[in-house]
Amino acid sequence: MSVPPRAVQLNEANAFLKEHPEVLYVDLLIADMNGVVRGKRIERTSLHKVYEKGINLPASLFALDINGSTVESTGLGLDIGDADRICYPIPGTLSNEPWQKRPTAQLLMTMHELEGEPFFADPREVLRQVVNKFTEMGLTICAAFELEFYLIDQENVNGRPQPPRSPISGKRPQSTQVYLIDDLDEYADCLQDILEGAKEQGIPADAIVKESAPAQFEVNLHHVPDPLKACDYAVLLKRLIKNIAYDHEMDTTFMAKPYPGQAGNGLHVHISVLDKDGNNIFTSEDPEQNAALRHAVGGVLETLPASMAFLCPNVNSYRRFGAQFYVPNAPSWGLDNRTVALRVPTGSPDAVRIEHRVAGADANPYLMMAAVLAGVHHGLTNKVEPGEPIEGNSYEQLEQSLPNNLRDALRELDDSEILNKYIDPKYIDIFVACKESELEEFEHSISDLEYNWYLHTV
């Protein structure tokens, strides 16, 4: 006799509380449109009730702009009386928060209608709908993220970030040398605590590397055969990094371009597709001759312009692009080539995969993954050919053709017949409404540069 799903989840809660009698509180977390984690804190005695009945949160949580204000044009605010929906736990996400002074756990949630159906505007549900199309084909997506971030000082200079002082030397880093081990040593305690905290939370982070700017690092996650779980890990990893760094008297930023003249923060994802027997359908001695790989690449390239608003969702996102920073600005692919949008690593035949290199670290992982997988599915089912792979420096061979600003990206998304088949058009309307509201506020602000240029000269 099978155990009902709710009973299985209650067993999870019972086992955790028994193993961790010291835990006093549990943070109930849900990621909004911007990937910002929101929610409630409860006492441990209320955890069983959460597993049995869920918790109520307003549907407007998914209509918040980057500042946490409800965008009323989405129709999810006052138009529906700012009504609640119900949130249920995501199995396997209950874990300790290692940075807390008072023992606290965390649990990731997802939103549902009061009748029980998943709520369409939850980004996790947006992704689940795309993943279902692969499930119907007997295919499984295997995915892994690479997340870049900066450690920054807790004190800004005139509102701008600066690298933190090294706990070892007391100096602010100036190095732009990628993979430099000595820079890892400068912040070794913080970085090691991040890896150990990830292990404690069940987040499969296996390495941290120094990136090409002062106090910039990248965390690599293991691939998992579940794209929803891969995104859960990415969301929780961001929160972990921020809190561990704060414990070490530093801040972090995942802003796409925090420093002019330095590399931005990217969010790369590695994708392979497994058949019903668990075999990678991209496996090949000669990846260029693998039809499934070519078609998947072709579909992602065709949908790349329309996906840009999900990959680069903020005004600042588009400042990250530039050849000198290895951020591709045209639909392109190549074999083991880091100047293209879609890199196909060629290390071994069974490890052939697609590395998507366009998104910024400010992207919502669920929406980014939904856009990428929509392209993969479109390519596989329509046998889309990608053209010849690029050899050498793609920036010298291709002109910039992807949207280079948020407004154009939103237009491409809104007009895309292909993505509207994969992502609920009602959700696209909500996303566009939120981002257009942010754009309007941004464009009505007056920058310091405008005052410097125009106040006394025109």
Side-chain angles (χ1 to χ4, degrees), residues 341-354:
L342 304 183
R343 170 180 171 255
V344 177
T346 56
S348 63
D350 59 350
V352 173
R353 60 196 183 276
I354 298 171

Side-chain angles (χ1 to χ4, degrees), residues 53-69:
K53 299 181 179 180
I55 60 161
N56 289 341
L57 286 171
S60 59
L61 185 147
F62 295 117
L64 300 179
D65 65 14
I66 196 66
N67 295 311
S69 300

Side-chain angles (χ1 to χ4, degrees), residues 87-244:
C87 300
Y88 291 113
I90 297 171
T93 63
L94 180 59
S95 65
N96 277 327
E97 295 178 346
W99 59 86
Q100 296 283 9
K101 291 182 175 61
R102 294 183 177 88
T104 304
Q106 65 180 29
L107 179 62
L108 207 55
M109 313 288 284
T110 185
M111 187 174 283
H112 294 250
E113 298 285 2
L114 298 179
E115 297 78 17
E117 289 296 310
F119 185 52
F120 81 100
D122 185 336
R124 198 176 192 274
E125 174 62 14
V126 172
L127 172 57
R128 193 180 72 87
Q129 291 294 335
V130 180
V131 173
N132 284 348
K133 294 183 180 297
F134 289 91
T135 305
E136 292 166 2
M137 297 172 65
L139 299 175
T140 299
I141 299 298
C142 201
F145 282 103
E146 297 172 348
L147 176 64
E148 294 175 344
F149 65 96
Y150 277 92
L151 292 173
I152 58 175
D153 202 289
Q154 290 185 344
E155 291 188 10
N156 294 333
V157 178
N158 298 322
R160 300 188 178 229
Q162 61 178 335
R165 293 189 182 278
S166 162
I168 294 177
S169 67
K171 298 177 180 178
R172 299 191 192 279
Q174 304 295 322
S175 171
T176 57
Q177 298 186 51
V178 69
Y179 301 121
L180 191 65
I181 293 294
D182 288 349
D183 279 13
L184 292 175
D185 290 339
E186 294 285 345
Y187 301 98
D189 288 346
C190 177
L191 299 176
Q192 189 59 38
D193 282 353
I194 289 171
L195 288 178
E196 290 177 3
K199 184 177 181 180
E200 184 175 348
Q201 292 194 323
I203 299 170
D206 66 348
I208 295 181
V209 297
K210 170 67 175 65
E211 276 297 329
S212 56
Q216 186 190 30
F217 302 94
E218 176 185 275
V219 181
N220 298 328
L221 290 164
H222 280 302
H223 63 273
V224 291
D226 181 345
L228 289 161
K229 191 170 289 292
C231 293
D232 293 341
Y233 290 144
V235 166
L236 294 176
L237 178 62
K238 270 190 172 184
R239 185 167 187 259
L240 173 75
I241 291 171
K242 287 181 178 181
N243 283 286
I244 294 293

Side-chain angles (χ1 to χ4, degrees), residues 264-439:
N265 287 320
L267 180 64
H268 297 173
V269 65
H270 293 250
I271 299 285
S272 54
V273 182
L274 311 180
D275 64 19
K276 57 183 174 54
D277 297 318
N279 299 311
N280 179 9
I281 68 172
F282 296 159
T283 296
S284 180
E285 293 283 353
D286 184 0
E288 195 176 345
Q289 301 306 314
N290 183 302
L293 176 67
R294 287 200 322 273
H295 297 154
V297 168
V300 176
L301 293 180
E302 185 175 335
T303 55
L304 193 51
S307 300
M308 286 295 286
F310 287 146
L311 307 176
C312 302
N314 300 305
V315 174
N316 175 262
S317 304
Y318 297 85
R319 304 192 190 282
R320 178 173 146 263
F321 288 79
Q324 71 273 34
F325 299 120
Y326 287 88
V327 185
N329 54 18
S332 55
W333 77 291
L335 306 180
D336 206 20
N337 185 339
R338 285 186 169 84
T339 72
V340 296
L342 304 183
R343 170 180 171 255
V344 177
T346 56
S348 63
D350 59 350
V352 173
R353 60 196 183 276
I354 298 171
E355 181 191 6
H356 194 292
R357 299 175 54 80
V358 180
D362 56 338
N364 179 314
Y366 301 106
L367 298 179
M368 172 203 174
M369 184 75 81
V372 173
L373 293 187
V376 171
H377 188 274
H378 169 70
L380 290 175
T381 54
N382 292 279
K383 295 181 168 50
V384 179
E385 289 292 342
E388 294 297 314
I390 297 291
E391 295 183 8
N393 188 346
S394 71
Y395 303 107
E396 295 178 349
Q397 302 175 51
L398 300 173
E399 292 187 4
Q400 181 269 325
S401 61
L402 292 172
N404 63 1
N405 63 83
L406 182 56
R407 189 170 295 284
D408 285 347
L410 292 172
R411 288 183 184 131
E412 289 272 8
L413 173 61
D414 213 15
D415 294 342
S416 174
E417 293 182 7
I418 296 173
L419 286 191
N420 272 265
K421 294 176 182 177
Y422 288 91
I423 296 172
D424 191 333
K426 290 188 300 180
Y427 183 76
I428 290 178
D429 288 345
I430 288 170
F431 182 87
V432 171
C434 281
K435 291 301 167 181
E436 285 184 339
S437 174
E438 290 176 15
L439 259 178

